């Protein structure tokens, strides 16, 4: 959805080019901390990750597990409605039990967090790895390599993610481990935009003096890519990853909702929702819990993603008056940056991350305008 | 646009640009078909076994494989597929020979129905859903964006921003589920949606599609609201807007005519880009509301591993997405002639 925002941002050029090196990282934290909404979101995300990691512990405390059936807790005469009020909430089953099967809802919910976050994160890693490799290769390769990779990327971008993953998941035998498969499929289809961004950013970086200096001093392409270019790619990649994670969570939930993602008995929020609409009167929490969990997770990650983008984009940060009041510092930084760029060109061995960070960070802070559609930043 | 074309030198460039895009569309579609065909037919699973069912004897499985030409090399089968697409094809389905006219996407493994025919019967439903919803999300999204750019810094803007954020964060099937339960189940304002053909009864068609449209539109509108707002704010900060204001142009005109113009191109781009995600949303919406469209049929075909149907539908959807993107490029070029030169 928001692909285009970032995609249109990248050709605009340098506005995302703050590599979080030593001082970049500190600046990043400072700007992120200045946004209250992003901080709250970060807290929620941290809590969710904690719950996902501690799922076995939490269910052990409750004394339940996500897959055991409890036929004694459901009223089969009434079509499988949980016995007891509020869908069978009790001291033993904190959030009640699932209609028809009697499986513990709390356990399924927290294990669902594991599946949801784990799959989304794994898919994002796959997307980033493919996107960075393809993008950097296109930017550094010969004209033919670039043409080939760029056209291929265009085709990948044109493939609708939901439809393709739906179709791909159909043909792989069900014996294949499902979480790995879902993450892999999402990752293999939706790396196009990140490759485009990385290519554009690499082309920009390639023209900068410190990279030319490295090349002139006889560094190989591989070494330049690893030592000089990758640090400069961190900011756009992190920004885009922050958008991809909530998107991947939604896709996984949607696929599971359609019955082709996670398969039972693996608990997944999307899958829980599939059956829930029939039971909303007898056991409303069966519907509300996974829906709410999904909503809170995606919302928190989206807000955090917005915050990360603002923190990494100096222009957005100054527009939102986030982390301002450091003009003098910026001026000093730009002076040192200019100095360090000069150093970089003369003494190549000194071209470290720090000097680069200073250079582009400062040029961003001094607030140049221009650049095409810098859409949807705020 | 006439003035644009009237400009001789760039007019030629524009025609060339459109032509290049058209060739690009063809190449992209061909490449997509190759990728999809290869990926789907080099399946790890045994298609003949799956199609025949688990209780088939090896002889029966072999018969199915022969019938589906599964033993031919892949490029031969792809060539047949292309041939069918361009010129049509004859299929023997056991007893009779069935002619499948161009563009032939093959026969369903499950029902022997022609995939093209199957898609054509389902297409009106999906098009009704997506296009109706598109009208809604453009109006809702751009309207909200304009409003929140106009009321910047006031309470109403903060409320709108919050609402759009909720829209961005909610999966379409969750909104649809909640809407259906509240509107149809609890309040009984509308009956549970059942698809009615537009040609049969336009009024019933619209009433029944209202909730599906709304579910899909609410999600998509949020992205448009954010984009419209930010591009308008960006335009409003530019010098020429200050000049307009200095000349005494009214605020309504500044917002409604000049600032909105700045949002035009990004909104077109996002709309084209969103066709893909909207189709994904349509699959979910159709499944949720039980609308007999392409999406629901695709989910069914995936369930029973009916590969010709899956491949055909993915291709058709890909076709729409690629066309939408190309159209957006052309529109973009009309709106901003610098693109042509690039």
């Amino acid at each position: 959805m928001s692909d285009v925002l970032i995609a249109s941002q990248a050709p605009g050029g340098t506005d995302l080019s703050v590599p979080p090196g030593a001082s970049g990282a500190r600046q990043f934290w400072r700007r992120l901390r200045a946004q209250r909404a992003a901080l709250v979101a970060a807290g929620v995300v941290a809590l969710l990750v904690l719950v996902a990691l501690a799922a076995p512990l939490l269910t052990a405390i409750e004394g339940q597990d996500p897959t055991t059936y409890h036929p004694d807790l459901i009223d089969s005469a009434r079509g499988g409605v949980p016995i007891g009020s509020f869908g069978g909430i009790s001291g033993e089953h904190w959030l009640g039990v699932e209609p028809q099967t009697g499986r513990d809802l709390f356990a399924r919910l927290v294990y669902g967090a594991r599946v949801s976050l784990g799959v989304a994160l794994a898919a994002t890693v796959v997307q980033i790895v493919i996107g960075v490799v393809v993008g950097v290769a296109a930017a550094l390769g010969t004209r033919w390599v670039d043409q080939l990779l760029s056209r291929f990327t265009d085709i990948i971008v044109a493939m609708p993610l939901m439809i393709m993953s739906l179709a791909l998941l159909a043909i792989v035998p069900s014996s294949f481990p499902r979480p790995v498969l879902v993450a892999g499929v999402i990752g293999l289809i939706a790396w196009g935009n990140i490759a485009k961004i990385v290519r554009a950013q690499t082309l920009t970086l390639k023209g900068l003096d410190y990279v030319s200096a490295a090349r002139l001093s006889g560094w190989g392409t591989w070494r330049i890519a690893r030592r000089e270019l990758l640090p400069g790619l961190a900011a756009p990649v992190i920004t885009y990853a922050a958008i991809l994670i909530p998107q991947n969570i939604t896709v996984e939930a949607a696929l599971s909702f359609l019955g082709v993602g996670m398969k039972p008995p693996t608990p997944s929020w999307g899958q829980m929702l599939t059956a829930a609409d029939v039971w909303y009167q007898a056991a409303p929490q069966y519907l509300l819990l996974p829906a709410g969990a999904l909503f809170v997770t995606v919302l928190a990650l989206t807000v955090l993603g917005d915050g990360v983008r603002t923190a990494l984009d100096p222009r957005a940060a100054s527009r939102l008056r986030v982390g301002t009041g450091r003009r003098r510092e910026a001026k000093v930084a730009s002076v040192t940056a200019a100095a360090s760029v000069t150093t970089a060109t003369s003494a190549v061995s000194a071209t470290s991350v720090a000097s680069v960070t200073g250079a582009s960070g400062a040029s961003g802070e001094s607030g140049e305008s221009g650049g095409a559609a810098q859409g949807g930043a705020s | 646009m006439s003035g644009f074309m009237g400009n001789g030198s760039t007019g030629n460039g524009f025609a060339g640009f459109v032509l290049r895009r058209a060739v690009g569309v063809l190449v992209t579609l061909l490449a997509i078909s190759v990728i999809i065909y290869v990926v789907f037919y080099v399946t790890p699973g045994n298609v003949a076994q799956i199609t025949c069912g688990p209780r088939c004897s090896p002889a029966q499985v072999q018969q199915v494989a022969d019938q589906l030409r599964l033993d031919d090399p892949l490029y031969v089968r792809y060539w047949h597929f292309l041939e069918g697409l361009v010129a049509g094809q004859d299929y023997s389905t056991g007893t009779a020979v069935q002619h499948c006219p161009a563009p032939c996407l093959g026969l369903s493994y499950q029902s022997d129905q022609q995939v093209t025919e199957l898609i054509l019967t389902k297409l009106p439903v999906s098009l009704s859903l997506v296009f109706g919803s598109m009208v809604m999300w453009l109006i809702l999204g751009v309207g909200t964006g304009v409003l929140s750019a106009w009321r910047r810094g006031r309470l109403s803007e903060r409320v709108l921003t919050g609402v759009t954020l909720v829209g961005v964060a909610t999966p379409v099937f969750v909104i649809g589920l909640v809407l259906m339960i509240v509107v149809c189940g609890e309040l009984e304002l509308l009956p549970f949606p059942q698809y009615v053909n537009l040609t049969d009864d336009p009024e019933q068609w619209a009433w029944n599609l209202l909730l599906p449209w709304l579910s899909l539109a609410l999600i998509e509108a949020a992205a448009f609201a954010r984009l419209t707002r930010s591009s308008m704010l960006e335009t409003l900060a530019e010098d020429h807007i200050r000049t307009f204001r200095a000349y005494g142009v009214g605020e309504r005109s500044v917002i409604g005519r000049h600032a909105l113009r700045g949002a035009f191109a990004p909104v077109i781009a996002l709309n084209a880009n969103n066709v893909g995600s909207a189709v994904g949303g349509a699959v979910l919406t159709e499944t949720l509301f039980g609308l007999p469209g392409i999406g629901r049929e695709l989910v069914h075909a995936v369930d029973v591993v009916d590969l010709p149907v899956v491949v055909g539908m993915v291709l058709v959807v890909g076709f729409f997405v690629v066309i939408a993107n190309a159209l957006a490029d052309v529109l973009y070029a009309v709106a901003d002639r610098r693109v042509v030169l690039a």
Side-chain angles (χ1 to χ4, degrees), chain A residues 356-375:
Chain A
V356 184
T357 312
S360 38
S363 70
E365 187 107 21
S366 56
E368 89 270 61
S369 57
Q374 191 248 343

Side-chain angles (χ1 to χ4, degrees), chain A residues 1 4-5 155 158 160 162-164 166-168 170-171 254 258 273 277 280-281 287 295 298-299 303 306 374 376, chain B residues 31 39-40 43 165-166 169-170 173 177 181 185-186 226-227 230 234 270 279-280 283 287 298 302 307 310 314 317 321:
Chain A
M1 217 184 311
V4 70
L5 310 186
I155 291 166
M162 268 299 292
I163 306 284
M164 280 303 286
L166 193 62
L168 276 176
I171 57 171
L258 292 174
L273 282 168
D277 59 333
Y280 75 91
Q281 274 168 325
L287 170 77
F295 173 71
V298 178
L299 183 67
V303 173
D306 278 359
Q374 191 248 343
Chain B
V39 166
F40 282 87
T43 50
L165 196 59
V166 170
T170 318
F173 51 97
L177 208 56
I181 286 173
E186 290 300 301
R226 277 154 70 104
L227 182 69
S230 62
E234 204 163 293
L270 181 66
V279 170
V283 174
T287 310
L298 178 64
V302 163
L307 285 186
V310 173
V314 173
V317 171
V321 172

Side-chain angles (χ1 to χ4, degrees), chain A residues 9 120 157 240 244 248:
Chain A
Q9 210 161 17
V157 170
Y240 200 66
L244 281 176
N248 290 341

Side-chain angles (χ1 to χ4, degrees), chain B residues 9-304:
Chain B
S9 58
T10 42
N12 209 355
F14 186 72
F17 171 75
V18 173
L19 198 70
R20 271 203 308 280
R21 284 303 309 173
V23 173
V25 165
L26 271 180
V27 172
T28 309
L29 281 175
L30 208 62
I32 289 182
S33 80
V34 171
I35 293 174
I36 289 173
Y37 205 84
V38 169
V39 166
F40 282 87
Y41 286 94
V42 190
T43 50
N46 184 344
V47 174
Q49 181 74 59
I50 295 169
T51 310
C52 193
R55 259 175 252 141
C56 276
S57 67
Q60 282 170 308
V61 171
Q62 189 53 47
Q63 200 181 343
V64 173
D66 289 343
Q67 201 183 328
L68 301 177
R69 295 187 178 180
L70 289 177
D71 295 332
D72 284 353
L74 195 66
Y75 64 90
V76 174
R77 283 158 62 198
Y78 178 69
W79 183 248
H80 274 291
F81 176 77
L82 274 191
E83 230 172 36
L85 209 54
V86 178
Q89 208 151 31
D90 288 325
Y91 282 90
S92 72
T93 53
T95 49
V97 174
Q98 191 179 357
H99 179 68
C100 171
C104 175
L105 289 164
L107 302 187
S108 158
Y109 284 173
Q110 296 291 327
S111 63
D112 283 346
Q113 201 188 354
Q114 294 178 7
V115 175
T116 314
E117 210 173 83
L118 184 71
I119 290 177
L120 284 179
T121 57
K122 306 288 178 188
L123 203 56
V125 183
S126 299
L127 290 181
S128 301
L129 176 62
V130 172
F131 278 106
S133 184
M134 189 185 287
V135 172
M136 258 191 201
W137 81 55
L138 283 175
I139 293 173
L140 275 176
V142 174
T144 312
V146 170
L147 210 62
S148 62
W150 182 30
R151 313 294 293 178
R152 196 184 184 197
R154 317 237 184 123
L155 181 68
S156 49
E157 189 232 344
R158 309 197 77 167
V159 172
L160 283 177
T161 310
V163 170
T164 45
L165 196 59
V166 170
V168 168
T170 318
V172 60
F173 51 97
V174 171
I175 278 219
L177 208 56
V178 171
L179 274 180
M180 188 160 69
I181 286 173
V182 172
V183 176
C184 306
E186 290 300 301
L187 303 176
E188 294 179 11
L189 292 174
L190 286 169
F192 284 96
Q194 266 186 325
Y195 186 71
V196 177
N197 276 325
L198 174 64
T199 44
D200 291 349
D201 186 345
E203 203 189 324
Q204 279 306 308
W205 170 81
W207 274 118
N208 277 294
L209 279 172
L210 192 61
L211 273 193
W213 280 342
L214 204 61
S215 319
L216 194 51
L218 282 177
I219 306 300
E220 300 287 339
F224 283 89
R226 277 154 70 104
L227 182 69
T228 308
R229 175 179 173 276
S230 62
S231 21
M232 280 184 73
L233 288 181
E234 204 163 293
T235 314
L236 283 174
E238 277 172 19
D239 289 343
H240 73 276
I241 295 288
R242 200 175 49 196
T243 314
F244 282 135
R245 283 190 173 135
Y247 275 129
V249 175
E251 191 62 20
R252 185 169 298 207
S253 174
V254 165
I255 298 268
R257 288 186 51 201
H258 302 291
L260 193 55
R261 194 168 292 166
F264 181 63
V267 165
I268 290 178
L270 181 66
N271 200 37
N273 202 288
N274 266 27
V275 168
S277 84
V279 170
V283 174
L284 291 161
T285 318
E286 283 171 14
T287 310
L288 183 65
F289 289 101
L291 301 173
I294 293 222
R296 218 181 74 168
E297 193 59 33
L298 178 64
V299 174
H300 174 71
V302 163
D303 263 349
V304 296

